[in-house]
Every structure is written in C-alpha cells, then in structure tokens.
Amino acid sequence: MIEVSTERTLPQKPLLITTLPGPRAKELVERDRTVTSPSYTRDYPLVVSRGEGCMLEDVDGNVFLDLTAGIAVTATGHAHPQVVRAIQEQSANLLHMSGTDFYYPQMVELAEKLSDRAPFPQAADGKRARVFFSNSGAESNEGAIKLARYYTKRSGIVAFLGAFHGRTYGAMSLTASKRVQRERFAPLLPGVTHIPYGTHASLDYLEEKLFTTMLPPEEIAAIIVEPIQGEGGYIVPEDGFLARIRNLCDRYGILMIVDEVQSGMGRTGKLFAIAKVANSG
Ligand SMILES: Cc1ncc(COP(=O)(O)O)c(C=O)c1O
C-alpha cells in the first residue's frame, strides 16, 4: 500500500501575494507563446502549479478558489487522496494497457459498475448495458456516431444549436456553439441538422416542419443531446424535453445519444445527469 498524505497544505481561502499575473506566470506565458500551438485559446493567464480540494495555487504562490472544478471535471476535488492512491498503485503495477487487444480485471469491474448504474430500463431479454471506454469526449462522440450509423444503416443526425461535442471532425460537425470552432474547417460531416435547444417549440418544428418536408425520420440515425447544455450557456431544458426526444426516437427507430461529458458523473447530484433532468419533468 502506497502512503498518500491527506494533510491539507494550501490555505483554505484565496490569497493573493502578487499582482496578476505574477512574475513567474508572466515569464511562462511568454515562453509558452513561442513554443505551443496558438490553437490553445486561453482566456486568462493562470499558470497552475498545484491543486488541493477546491483550492489551486499558481506558480507565484497565489491561491484561488476553483469554482469551476478544473474544466468541470474534478468532481472529487483536486488531488483527492483516494484518487491519487489508486493512480499511484495502478501505475506502479501496470502502466500500459490496451483494451482493444487484451483483457484486464479492472476493465471488467469498471464496466460492471457502470452497467449496473446506467440509467437504462432493464432489457426484456436480461441483457445488460455494455460499455465502450474512450480517451476523451470527442472520441466518445465519434464512437457514438459510428455506432448509430452502423446499427441503423441510416446517415442523418439531429443535433442542437449551442451544442459542444468536441473538436475532431465528427464531433465538430455536431457542435454549434462558437463560430470559431468550425470556421474554415469545412467540409464537415454531411447529414447533420441543428435545431434550437431545450424547448418544445423546437421539437414541434422538428416533427411538424422538418420531418414532413426535408428530413424523413426514417433516414435519421441519431439525435444527440446534452441533458443540460454546457458551452451553449448552462441551459436546463424545458420539462419533458428529454422524455419527448426519447419518445420520438422510439417511434422512428432513431438512437438517442446523450452527451454527459460536461454535465455527468455526479455533477447534478445523480451519477448520470439524464437521470436527474429527465425525471424532473
Ligand atoms: C458536452 C461536451 N461534449 C464533449 C466534449 C469534448 O470533450 P473532450 O474535450 O474530452 O474531447 C466537451 C468538452 O468540453 C463537452 O463539454
């Protein structure tokens, strides 16, 4: 067993000891500018040194309260001792794995846990939810697009204005959040239609106008939706919005892809955000 300290060494409230950015941060930002890609779009010059719980320290010793949990991912806080211990133990034991080629006990165990907790109704034939592990949100969405097209043998995908699904080509084609994310990258994936997010009026438009004129539902492979829209402005959809998408999908044999990259894993009080939002309406 590897010992991991649980002692908190950072102040538990913000502490500014330099003007911002401090001298060390300024120097690093300058060096960064000459050697890293300009496609990293940083909003402000925070140069992070370490994190502990919900506190972050920059390279000049200034301490901040991290109200955004990293980029909405450190739900257990920065450097949670149990998470650190698990990573240390695993890396000391086996650092390289390839789930596409071999089997690992931890992979089976994690898939079982996720399958047990997945918010899907029990299948009539007793089959369980199955898990595909990926490296990032974009890769998950690429996998979901491929799965939906392969399984349904259809090509159309409906996504929402304001959505962010990632920066690879398929995921970017589903994204409609900021112009800069798509500008000058066309042609994107064909067959994607965007409609406004979160309202019944938008689903009326889909059903009454698009389905009857230019988008036969029998040609749609999937509807992809964030249970709470993130980059688009932290929008909780109208009551019944997600349930209505579920019904539409069931009616026309369309797959429902729920992108919980930003809203999920406990952040709404439920492990899966869809379980929280869909049940509130
Ligand atoms: C809803 C949503 N989907 C997908 C992604 C892409 O995830 P990644 O940056 O891990 O590719 C993000 C990233 O912010 C996201 O917010």
Side-chain angles (χ1 to χ4, degrees), residues 71 135-141 163-168 171 175 226 228-231 259-263:
I71 50 162
N135 295 297
S136 70
E139 189 188 341
S140 305
N141 287 325
F164 184 80
H165 295 296
R167 293 187 161 84
T168 51
T175 290
E226 294 166 81
I228 296 171
Q229 205 171 60
E231 306 296 298
D259 179 344
E260 299 221 3
V261 170
Q262 187 158 163
S263 54

Side-chain angles (χ1 to χ4, degrees), residues 24-259:
R24 181 111 179 86
K26 260 192 203 150
E27 183 217 320
L28 280 155
V29 168
E30 210 38 59
R31 281 168 53 197
D32 179 279
R33 209 190 312 276
T34 60
V35 288
T36 71
S37 164
S39 63
Y40 298 119
T41 52
R42 283 74 164 248
D43 283 329
Y44 45 89
L46 172 66
V47 184
V48 180
S49 159
R50 68 190 172 116
E52 206 179 69
C54 55
M55 307 310 290
L56 273 184
E57 186 182 40
D58 79 0
V59 286
D60 294 290
N62 298 300
V63 178
F64 305 89
L65 176 60
D66 180 6
L67 290 165
T68 58
I71 50 162
V73 289
T74 55
T76 56
H78 292 284
H80 189 288
Q82 276 174 264
V83 176
V84 173
R85 187 178 304 118
I87 294 170
Q88 287 182 336
E89 285 180 358
Q90 182 55 48
S91 59
N93 202 36
L94 182 70
L95 201 48
H96 164 73
M97 61 84 71
S98 174
T100 50
D101 298 84
F102 309 111
Y103 298 91
Y104 304 89
Q106 296 89 336
M107 194 167 157
V108 182
E109 285 158 17
L110 180 56
E112 283 171 343
K113 283 188 181 162
L114 288 169
S115 177
D116 287 344
R117 289 163 180 75
F120 306 143
Q122 180 73 38
D125 57 7
K127 281 191 182 151
R128 299 173 70 179
R130 296 182 70 171
V131 179
F132 176 79
F133 292 107
S134 57
N135 295 297
S136 70
E139 189 188 341
S140 305
N141 287 325
E142 296 293 334
I145 297 169
K146 286 173 70 180
L147 179 67
R149 285 189 164 175
Y150 187 88
Y151 177 77
T152 61
K153 302 193 183 83
R154 306 172 180 182
S155 63
I157 299 177
V158 174
F160 291 91
L161 293 173
F164 184 80
H165 295 296
R167 293 187 161 84
T168 51
Y169 259 91
M172 177 173 55
S173 307
L174 306 177
T175 290
S177 170
K178 296 195 185 82
R179 187 176 141 160
V180 67
Q181 288 153 355
R182 296 164 65 105
E183 206 165 45
R184 291 162 60 179
F185 294 127
L188 305 183
L189 203 65
V192 181
T193 305
H194 286 91
I195 58 172
Y197 178 78
T199 64
H200 285 282
S202 173
L203 298 182
D204 291 343
Y205 175 74
L206 177 68
E207 282 189 84
E208 290 161 20
K209 295 277 186 268
L210 295 183
F211 282 1
T212 55
T213 55
M214 53 175 284
L215 198 63
E218 295 76 17
E219 292 179 12
I220 300 173
I223 300 178
I224 179 163
V225 64
E226 294 166 81
I228 296 171
Q229 205 171 60
E231 306 296 298
Y234 300 98
I235 301 168
V236 178
E238 286 178 5
D239 285 355
F241 175 77
L242 294 164
R244 192 165 156 199
I245 295 178
R246 175 72 271 165
N247 289 340
L248 269 181
C249 288
D250 290 342
R251 197 170 339 135
Y252 295 109
I254 299 169
L255 299 187
M256 181 172 176
I257 303 172
V258 180
D259 179 344

